[in-house]
Amino acid sequence: MSLLDIRVPAVLLRIDRNPFHHGTLGAVRSLGRAGVEVHVVADSTGSPVRRSRFVRQLHPPPAPGASTAEIAAVLQGVAARVGRPAVLIPMDDASAIAVGRLRADLAPAYLLPQQPGTLPEQVADKAELAEVCAAVGIPHPQTLVPDSAEQAAGAAWRLGLPVVAKWSRPWLVPAGSGLRSTVVVRSAREARELFLRAEEAGSRLLLQEFLPPGPDRDWFFHGYADRTGAVRAGGPGRKQRAWPRGAGLTAVGLWTPNPQVQALAERITGELGFRGIFDLDFRRCGTTGQYHLLDFNPRPGAQFRLFADGAGLDVVRALHLDLTQRPLPAGVPLAGRAFVVENYAPLCALLPAPRGRELAWSAPDDRGPGLAMWALWSRHVAGRLLDRLSHAATAPAPPPRSAVVRQAGEPAGERTTERTAEPVRTGLDEELSGLTDRSEMSDDEKASSC
């Protein structure tokens, strides 16, 4: 007998277009295995998710750039087809923000956590998150928000190059613009030029202190804040491999106890009165040892299934149980459990996992998505490779790289570079990352704060 109330269906909403979003599949499987009827409102064209046997019905998503009113109309149409109240689970930042704004309009057709409707937008906004962290005393990289191109250049010097440049509201960055939500800036000129594209990006540019990556420095915390504010399910994890390397999503993660990260997660959600599923990203400073909060995502992280405990509880099931007034079981944390996204870290998926491992796509009780993923991914990589070869054959020879020069009056240790060499990539995973156009990534795939 299921712990969940299987009379209450679930509706997963994803506005961002990304056929390879494994977090959506994780939510489908988690609830479907428990007997819950799962509906998916997302662009499923060419997506392995549509092949899952646990999907009850696929529904067309809102059009790209849809207004809040248009998103509400889509969800109300889905509610009419489902025919009874359902738990609504946003799967990306844009969805979480829209649902937060629409909470009153969506009731009683959808069950949602009770919290201020503007809170998801506040924590997802990178500039506002910096202010929140300062207000509640959570470590956060020093952040400056320039008001002009010249201020952007000055802020880059003040923070010390290189610096991290972010668009405060990455979900507004238009597809195909070539802009990335986060990029490492290595000269004042780059910062100035990036600021001039703020109108195109649709949000403010912020510059942030660069915290260098290193072994055991990248951490995340997934959790569910229940109706009382207590953090349930989830836990702290350590990023062992990222895609792209050193600055992207978790390709290999390990459930690793960390009281400091746990305390920071409970502190910020408690201070804000946050309710619902959240995904936090941290980086440990190699100098001070402090864990800096880099991102607060008000929705499930793509690797949330890493934290399925001994009772089978994860953050998605915790949400369903809590909103349907069911008790949450106290499961045993499975420290050492691994999560592998096999198309980004194929070799790691073959290594022994003595404490258990979950793959993002492949599952013995739901083989369709895994088979579809490999077929689609092979076609995707082959297409990128052919495109690269075509461009290489027709592109003119690159101009010689400029030398690194020290500017007059430049403080010791700071440099301006006109051009910087690309880092050398090695290994199968890095080759795959090089064959994928990063400008087409979802919010989960774009580079993180560092």
Side-chain angles (χ1 to χ4, degrees):
M1 181 177 179
S2 177
L3 289 172
L4 280 68
D5 187 344
I6 61 174
R7 298 170 299 175
V8 181
V11 174
L12 310 182
L13 172 64
R14 185 169 180 86
I15 294 175
D16 182 66
R17 265 57 176 166
N18 176 14
F20 294 107
H21 186 253
H22 51 275
T24 302
L25 178 61
V28 167
R29 284 173 170 166
S30 176
L31 296 169
R33 286 167 177 156
V36 174
E37 179 182 308
V38 182
H39 295 256
V40 178
V41 184
D43 182 9
S44 58
T45 305
S47 173
V49 175
R50 67 183 300 119
R51 297 286 301 276
S52 174
R53 70 184 186 90
F54 296 113
V55 173
R56 173 61 63 92
Q57 189 173 352
L58 294 163
H59 303 265
S67 66
T68 304
E70 291 168 332
I71 295 169
V74 168
L75 289 174
Q76 287 162 355
V78 172
R81 291 191 289 275
V82 173
R84 58 193 189 279
V87 172
L88 178 59
I89 309 176
M91 296 301 301
D92 64 331
D93 288 346
S95 300
I97 290 163
V99 168
R101 293 174 179 174
L102 294 167
R103 190 184 186 285
D105 299 323
L106 296 176
Y110 292 104
L111 307 181
L112 292 164
Q114 294 200 22
Q115 66 177 354
T118 58
L119 189 52
E121 190 168 1
Q122 181 183 12
V123 297
D125 186 301
K126 311 303 182 186
E128 292 194 36
L129 179 62
E131 296 174 4
V132 167
C133 288
V136 300
I138 298 291
H140 184 79
Q142 184 181 359
T143 301
L144 299 175
V145 183
D147 291 325
S148 68
E150 290 310 311
Q151 281 191 19
W157 284 117
R158 179 177 167 188
L159 291 169
L161 295 166
V163 298
V164 176
K166 296 181 180 180
W167 300 112
S168 64
R169 300 188 168 201
W171 60 91
L172 297 179
V173 175
S177 65
L179 292 171
R180 293 175 59 191
S181 63
T182 302
V183 66
V184 176
V185 169
R186 303 186 183 278
S187 73
R189 188 185 71 178
E190 288 181 45
R192 183 186 300 109
E193 292 174 349
L194 201 57
F195 180 89
L196 295 175
R197 301 187 69 181
E199 184 176 353
E200 181 184 358
S203 64
R204 294 179 292 172
L205 178 73
L206 59 91
L207 298 174
Q208 197 169 81
E209 173 191 8
F210 178 75
L211 299 179
D216 299 333
R217 290 190 186 177
D218 287 315
W219 292 75
F220 48 87
F221 188 97
H222 294 196
Y224 173 70
D226 68 15
R227 71 191 75 167
T228 70
V231 175
R232 310 289 300 276
R238 181 163 50 88
K239 187 183 293 188
Q240 291 189 304
R241 291 181 69 88
W243 186 89
R245 185 178 181 181
L249 64 78
T250 299
V252 181
L254 195 68
W255 191 342
T256 308
N258 189 320
Q260 290 175 271
V261 169
Q262 177 102 24
L264 288 170
E266 293 176 349
R267 181 176 169 188
I268 192 166
T269 54
E271 290 278 358
L272 293 173
F274 186 88
R275 301 290 184 271
I277 300 173
F278 61 91
D279 164 27
L280 309 180
D281 292 320
F282 294 89
R283 176 161 284 181
R284 181 175 58 83
C285 176
T287 304
T288 66
Q290 284 189 315
Y291 291 88
H292 291 248
L293 179 62
L294 303 180
D295 290 302
F296 189 130
N297 304 301
R299 40 78 182 170
Q303 72 273 25
F304 78 90
R305 281 291 300 167
L306 170 63
F307 301 106
D309 65 19
L313 187 69
D314 59 36
V315 295
V316 166
R317 290 186 177 185
L319 171 73
H320 195 284
L321 286 165
D322 194 41
L323 294 182
T324 56
Q325 311 296 314
R326 294 244 173 163
L328 277 64
V332 177
L334 302 179
R337 190 168 188 261
F339 184 88
V340 178
V341 186
E342 57 267 44
N343 53 315
Y344 298 142
L347 300 182
C348 294
L350 303 175
L351 298 175
R355 298 196 178 184
R357 173 176 55 212
E358 179 147 346
L359 300 180
W361 297 104
S362 305
D365 65 339
D366 190 30
R367 297 185 182 278
L371 295 173
M373 183 278 296
W374 282 119
L376 291 166
W377 188 250
S378 298
R379 191 183 314 158
H380 178 70
V381 171
R384 295 302 304 165
L385 178 59
L386 290 173
D387 188 55
R388 260 192 172 192
L389 293 174
S390 174
H391 279 79
T394 59
R401 297 190 182 274
S402 301
V404 175
V405 294
R406 187 170 303 283
Q407 303 297 313
E410 178 182 351
E414 294 183 290
R415 303 184 303 183
T416 299
T417 61
E418 293 299 314
R419 296 179 183 269
T420 54
E422 289 293 318
V424 176
R425 296 184 180 275
T426 59
L428 177 58
D429 300 333
E430 284 67 36
E431 286 301 313
L432 289 177
S433 72
L435 295 176
T436 303
D437 186 352
R438 296 183 193 175
S439 67
E440 297 176 352
M441 293 179 186
S442 70
D443 52 3
D444 292 314
E445 292 177 312
K446 292 167 185 170
S448 62
S449 298
C450 298

